[in-house]
Amino acid sequence: MCRARTCGIFGPPIRLIDRLIVVLTAYLGIAAGKTHGTKTYIVQMAKSEMPASFSHHLNWYASLVELSTSSGTHGEKQRIIYSYEHAFNGFAVRLSEEEAEQFEAYSGVVNILPETAYHLHTTRSPVFLGIESVSGTSVVSPAIAEYDVIVGVLDTGIWPESLSFSDRGMAPVPVRWKGACETGRGFNRSNCNRKIVGARIFYRGYEAAVGAIDEKAEFKSPRDQDGHGTHTAATVAGAPVNGANLFGYATGTARGMAPSARIASYKVCWTGGCFSSDILAAVDQAVADGVDVLSISLGGGVSSYYRDSLSIASFGAMERGVFVACSAGNGGPDPISLTNVSPWIATIGASTMDRDFPATVRLGNGVHLTGVSLYKGQRNLSPQRQYSLVYMGANHTNPDPRSLCLEGTLDPRVVAGKIVVCDRGINPRVQKGQVVKQAGGVGMILTNTPANGEELVADSHLLPALAVGETAGKAIKHYTLTTSHATATLTFEGTKVGIRPSPVIAAFSSRGPNFLTLEILKPDMVAPGVNILAAWSGNASPSSLTVDLRRVSFNILSGTSMSCPHVGGIAALIKARHPDWSPAAIKSALMTTAYVHDNSMQVLKDAATAGPSTPYDHGAGHIHPLKALDPGLVYDITPDDYLEFLCTQKLTQTQLKVFTKSSNSSCKHSLASAADLNYPSISVVIPDADGSTMTVRRTVTNVGPPNSKYHVKVSPPKGAEVVVEPINLQFSRRYQKLSYTVSFRTKAAQASPEFGALIWRDQTHSVRSSIAMTWLPQS
């Protein structure tokens, strides 16, 4: 009989190599808590350089750890916590700084990375994206839905009882699947099914950094008590659930982007955060298990490609044919705030949909201002009555602790019985309302600051409350501060669709340019990430506050964490239609078919400024799933092409080995610059002298009809002349490749980046590439 964590979901006991890992890691004493004076390091090894005296690489790793700790400084040799062997070769180990420095000199050691903390980047979207009709009927071919695609989700786990994870009508799990259903408190093998085909946990790095998980307070199992992982998994591939809603808001059929795809849950995030050694172990295992797509809604800071563990692991996954989607981050609207910028990763920003949850402030002076809210409670305010209104800030432009409604800052004698105006920032939005409620306030108006602009994010508040944009917020605060007896009331208007303009780029969505490589335009694309309805953990409140005792089956969240699984799910659909396509081809299809105009036919707007967005905000544009299934042409990129790109980044031979995994690989210098990588977008950096020139090359693969003729149209960036040669591409067969060049000449150098587009069109397809042009001052 199979024991916990030793069986595939419906498969045989673990293989001999897995038994060896179990035996060796037991011998090496996997750490269950902190080791004094040490921290976790990820050691990447050149597996091909293992001495012949070792029968297995695990024995080799163990000998190096033993050698580094032979002085007995800490009195222990048993510190390996993970071994990696699929997307990455190496291990994670507890070392002191001195021991880590010593490791760098050992033969076979390619790279040593310190443990890094990552953070989570926290239903109408199928209709809005065009993959489901208004009547609820899928417009995607059943032949696609029947193909077995498996999406791995790295997050906080999964709540298996959700109806979104029903396997009703699904075929048996593919025999190729090698994953497992690990068990633990609150999670049994029966919690996996034909929808949830795998569920694993990764916690050794977390425990080594933070301490042992309190198993009474936290599920040390795949069960999700946070809700974030359940929400993202359901967004990727949730089964249709009729009547889904949050307190009556957004009522309809909730379904994932690829509702017939399988889900493999990899729990890497815990109460105290997510750690790189666990994330790396999860990616490594997911590749071995056989996932087709990885959806990773988390990120850390930006490091050089060879110092970023997620970048390195994603490269290994890409080499094995796995499409990797990562959230861009919630650092917007600040520029250069992106995370997960490697070109082999699909970096996803967030945008709104055409659905909203309007609520209205009616001031005592008769002015009506519109905001948003998901409030549904018994403590409603009467629309016929005006309530005293108070703002604790000194002025309407500069927030202070009281205006931010931080814990302990509100005087009950001042706010009791009143509606309180609170500035957004510092503490969670819903928590501000709880602070008001505890002080005796009867309602809250949450006002945006310049950092959030006109972006409106709806929340399930604990008292009557709504959020308004910066402009409305200033008007409300001005009225409150200049009127002796300011009053207001709040009304809540439910759910409305058909909102214009939409989509709009979310203010929180992280922005480019790509700090590491200007020639790689990031983010890659945007997808719905504001007010997204999806399944939720039965253990968590909708506000995630401990004082909130409400429990819901579905929740509405915002963040690039929500946009990322939209793309992961659409990638699964494309993989189903085109199982032989590479990750780069799938990403190309998503990017070149994306659109850059909203439903009012204007350029996509930026919620932070209310003005037009740029490719540094929206990348290639907003995803268009149906067109992505039939893009006409794709820009394909092989692993060797990515290695040549890395050769343009001035990596040393040792640093390049982080990706080549071999000492025999060397640069062919086939790319003149990073801009020559066959990326679906084009970004060039050119001297600011008038008349300066630069030429880049691209190759497209015909994935449409055999006999196709495309003609190019160019919208040049301001200050530049752009020439494409040839201007026509004539294809005679499917999968034929043709190349073209794009030459840029400066007519009048600009002080800031400028943008344009290049579009190849035939009678059916429009294949669009965003263009960014940056002028580099000459020394």
Side-chain angles (χ1 to χ4, degrees):
M1 180 176 178
C2 293
R3 295 180 181 272
R5 305 194 185 110
T6 63
C7 301
I9 177 171
F10 300 118
I14 54 176
R15 302 162 296 150
L16 179 61
I17 182 62
D18 295 321
R19 295 180 189 276
L20 178 58
I21 291 173
V22 171
V23 172
L24 279 173
T25 50
Y27 163 74
L28 292 167
I30 295 171
K34 296 181 180 179
T35 302
H36 180 67
T38 66
K39 64 180 181 180
T40 302
Y41 288 86
I42 297 167
V43 182
Q44 187 174 8
M45 302 294 292
K47 193 174 178 181
S48 61
E49 296 180 23
M50 182 181 75
S53 57
F54 294 102
S55 60
H56 195 276
H57 63 277
L58 289 175
N59 302 87
W60 181 30
Y61 303 162
S63 72
L64 294 178
V65 175
E66 205 166 324
L67 180 63
S68 72
T69 59
S70 61
S71 62
T73 303
H74 300 288
E76 49 182 302
K77 303 174 183 178
Q78 304 169 346
R79 295 190 249 172
I80 289 181
I81 62 174
Y82 284 116
S83 173
Y84 310 116
E85 57 176 314
H86 304 288
F88 184 94
N89 292 322
F91 57 100
V93 61
R94 300 290 298 179
L95 297 171
S96 67
E97 289 186 16
E98 294 78 10
E99 290 164 349
E101 290 176 5
Q102 184 178 346
F103 246 89
E104 293 177 347
Y106 293 159
S107 177
V109 174
V110 174
N111 201 8
I112 298 180
L113 304 173
E115 182 80 279
T116 303
Y118 282 70
H119 308 283
L120 297 167
H121 287 150
T122 287
T123 266
R124 176 175 167 76
S125 50
V127 176
F128 183 67
L129 292 173
I131 57 177
E132 181 178 282
S133 67
V134 176
S135 65
T137 305
S138 174
V139 298
V140 179
S141 165
I144 296 177
E146 290 170 1
Y147 190 89
D148 281 317
V149 177
I150 301 169
V151 183
V153 180
L154 273 64
D155 216 293
T156 62
I158 197 164
W159 191 262
E161 289 80 10
S162 171
L163 294 177
S164 293
F165 306 127
S166 168
D167 65 351
R168 184 177 179 181
M170 296 191 74
V173 177
V175 294
R176 67 179 176 86
W177 177 243
K178 300 175 184 177
C181 188
E182 297 183 358
T183 61
R185 186 170 76 88
F187 202 94
N188 302 315
R189 190 165 177 263
S190 62
N191 288 130
C192 291
N193 56 17
R194 295 179 179 184
K195 167 63 74 174
I196 304 174
V197 298
R200 296 183 184 268
I201 63 174
F202 300 85
Y203 57 87
R204 296 170 190 166
Y206 175 83
E207 288 195 331
V210 176
I213 293 170
D214 182 352
E215 297 189 42
K216 292 183 179 179
E218 188 167 6
F219 291 111
K220 195 174 182 179
S221 74
R223 183 167 291 279
D224 176 20
Q225 67 188 58
D226 177 272
H228 192 277
T230 298
H231 198 281
T232 56
T235 302
V236 167
V241 180
N242 295 327
N245 68 88
L246 173 65
F247 303 133
Y249 289 97
T251 300
T253 299
R255 67 189 290 280
M257 298 299 98
S260 295
R262 322 281 184 163
I263 297 168
S265 174
Y266 298 87
K267 185 174 181 177
V268 297
C269 295
W270 305 86
T271 300
C274 329
F275 287 82
S276 55
S277 60
D278 296 327
I279 296 167
L280 186 52
V283 173
D284 191 62
Q285 187 61 60
V287 170
D289 289 345
V291 302
D292 301 292
V293 174
L294 279 172
S295 177
I296 306 176
S297 290
L298 43 86
V302 177
S303 302
S304 300
Y305 300 115
Y306 71 95
R307 300 291 295 173
D308 183 337
S309 58
L310 182 53
S311 172
I312 299 166
S314 298
F315 188 95
M318 173 274 300
E319 285 185 299
R320 299 282 287 268
V322 178
F323 177 92
V324 182
C326 291
S327 48
N330 298 339
D334 292 342
I336 320 178
S337 52
L338 293 166
T339 64
N340 303 317
V341 297
S342 298
W344 45 89
I345 290 174
T347 309
I348 316 302
S351 56
T352 67
M353 295 190 296
D354 65 342
R355 179 182 66 194
D356 214 345
F357 310 103
T360 301
V361 182
R362 181 163 59 87
L363 300 177
N365 61 5
V367 173
H368 290 218
L369 298 166
T370 300
V372 296
S373 180
L374 296 171
Y375 174 71
K376 186 77 169 184
Q378 297 179 350
R379 298 178 56 181
N380 286 307
L381 302 180
S382 170
Q384 283 77 41
R385 176 184 168 188
Q386 286 283 306
Y387 299 82
S388 293
L389 185 65
V390 61
Y391 175 61
M392 305 301 292
N395 58 68
H396 67 273
T397 57
N398 297 315
D400 61 35
R402 293 192 305 165
S403 74
L404 290 164
C405 299
L406 303 180
E407 193 76 37
T409 62
L410 299 184
D411 186 347
R413 293 171 297 180
V414 177
V415 306
K418 299 177 182 178
I419 296 173
V420 182
V421 181
C422 299
D423 286 315
R424 185 172 168 182
I426 307 298
N427 56 337
R429 298 183 298 270
V430 176
Q431 189 178 62
K432 294 175 185 292
Q434 177 63 14
V435 172
V436 171
K437 184 178 179 181
Q438 288 174 335
V442 297
M444 177 183 72
I445 300 172
L446 182 64
T447 64
N448 278 2
T449 61
N452 313 110
E454 301 308 311
E455 171 188 73
L456 295 178
V457 177
D459 293 297
S460 53
H461 293 284
L462 295 168
L463 83 171
L466 55 77
V468 297
E470 182 189 7
T471 302
K474 285 182 177 179
I476 293 168
K477 288 184 283 189
H478 178 75
Y479 164 71
T480 306
L481 291 171
T482 59
T483 305
S484 58
H485 298 290
T487 60
T489 192
L490 312 178
T491 57
F492 306 95
E493 301 164 30
T495 304
K496 290 190 176 180
V497 297
I499 301 298
R500 293 176 179 267
S502 63
V504 174
I505 308 306
F508 62 74
S509 187
S510 289
R511 312 304 171 95
N514 177 355
F515 180 75
L516 291 185
T517 310
L518 282 173
E519 291 88 348
I520 301 299
L521 185 56
K522 293 280 184 171
D524 288 310
M525 64 200 85
V526 295
V530 178
N531 298 333
I532 304 301
L533 178 76
W536 193 243
S537 167
N539 193 72
S541 69
S543 66
S544 295
L545 297 178
T546 55
V547 297
D548 186 356
L549 301 181
R550 298 173 298 176
R551 294 295 181 267
V552 296
S553 298
F554 292 84
N555 202 5
I556 292 175
L557 297 183
S558 298
T560 54
S561 278
M562 284 64 254
S563 54
C564 174
H566 277 85
V567 172
I570 301 305
L573 288 180
I574 298 174
K575 183 72 173 177
R577 170 75 66 89
H578 307 285
D580 57 338
W581 279 16
S582 69
I586 293 172
K587 183 162 77 167
S588 173
L590 286 161
M591 292 175 64
T592 61
T593 58
Y595 58 88
V596 293
H597 292 87
D598 60 31
N599 57 4
S600 61
M601 301 309 296
Q602 301 298 311
V603 174
L604 295 175
K605 286 185 169 55
D606 181 352
T609 64
S613 63
T614 76
Y616 284 169
D617 309 318
H618 61 240
H622 190 284
I623 59 170
H624 194 311
L626 289 183
K627 287 189 176 181
L629 289 169
D630 179 24
L633 304 175
V634 295
Y635 294 84
D636 209 355
I637 307 175
T638 68
D640 284 344
D641 294 331
Y642 284 122
L643 288 172
E644 285 300 305
F645 159 77
L646 289 167
C647 290
T648 69
Q649 301 301 289
K650 298 184 171 65
L651 271 62
T652 66
Q653 191 66 29
T654 299
Q655 292 165 351
L656 197 60
K657 277 171 60 177
V658 168
F659 299 95
T660 64
K661 304 178 182 66
S662 169
S663 57
N664 299 324
S665 298
S666 60
C667 294
K668 299 176 183 176
H669 301 292
S670 59
L671 303 182
S673 75
D676 279 314
L677 180 68
N678 201 40
Y679 215 64
S681 57
I682 299 172
S683 180
V684 296
V685 180
I686 192 168
D688 66 355
D690 290 350
S692 58
T693 63
M694 183 174 186
T695 298
V696 299
R697 178 186 176 90
R698 290 291 187 270
T699 299
V700 288
T701 303
N702 178 31
V703 294
N707 297 304
S708 303
K709 183 177 181 179
Y710 286 83
H711 180 76
V712 74
K713 179 182 178 181
V714 178
S715 299
K718 179 182 177 181
E721 178 184 65
V722 179
V723 176
V724 179
E725 293 182 339
I727 59 172
N728 295 305
L729 295 175
Q730 180 71 57
F731 294 92
S732 58
R733 64 183 186 277
R734 189 170 170 84
Y735 299 121
Q736 181 181 1
K737 295 179 182 292
L738 292 177
S739 298
Y740 66 91
T741 60
V742 187
S743 297
F744 297 84
R745 186 179 72 85
T746 298
K747 295 195 299 182
Q750 304 296 303
S752 59
E754 294 292 339
F755 306 97
L758 180 155
I759 305 174
W760 289 102
R761 287 196 176 101
D762 69 354
Q763 293 182 338
T764 305
H765 307 94
S766 181
V767 186
R768 184 182 185 279
S769 293
S770 291
I771 294 175
M773 192 168 180
T774 304
W775 283 267
L776 188 66
Q778 293 179 303
S779 56

